[in-house]
Amino acid sequence: MPKRTLQGQVTSKKSNKTIVVTVERNKKHKVYQKVINFTKKFMAHDEENSAKEGDTVVIEESRPYSKNKTWVLKTITERAV
């Protein structure tokens, strides 16, 4: 089974080897057909501490590194200015 990948923005880099990535999704309401924005935060493992706040990154599902950290940083697509 392929691993899931998500793209989001790094919102926190306060812990060592850990980043918090905010992923935004758009979904249409079933009845009213209005587009609603959903945001969710994921903790991801960053081995080299290479990502910074504001970067757009791709994270991939992995083995559990801790209680809340089950994602790993795959690539940094866009650097923050």
Side-chain angles (χ1 to χ4, degrees), residues 43-59:
M43 293 181 81
H45 184 70
D46 181 11
E47 185 63 38
E48 290 99 27
N49 287 323
S50 57
K52 296 184 174 84
E53 287 188 26
D55 291 350
T56 304
V57 296
V58 174
I59 56 175

Side-chain angles (χ1 to χ4, degrees), residues 2 39-40:
T39 57
K40 189 167 181 183

Side-chain angles (χ1 to χ4, degrees), residues 32-77:
Y32 301 118
Q33 304 299 315
K34 181 179 177 177
V35 177
I36 304 167
N37 295 330
F38 291 97
T39 57
K40 189 167 181 183
K41 292 182 179 180
F42 296 94
M43 293 181 81
H45 184 70
D46 181 11
E47 185 63 38
E48 290 99 27
N49 287 323
S50 57
K52 296 184 174 84
E53 287 188 26
D55 291 350
T56 304
V57 296
V58 174
I59 56 175
E60 183 177 53
E61 197 173 31
S62 69
R63 67 175 179 84
Y65 285 94
S66 67
K67 178 182 174 184
N68 299 321
K69 197 163 58 165
T70 58
W71 295 83
V72 65
L73 175 68
K74 190 173 181 183
T75 57
I76 299 172
T77 57

Side-chain angles (χ1 to χ4, degrees), residues 16-27:
N16 187 28
K17 296 187 179 180
T18 303
I19 56 174
V20 178
V21 180
T22 302
V23 177
E24 188 171 305
R25 298 179 189 201
N26 299 326
K27 191 175 180 184

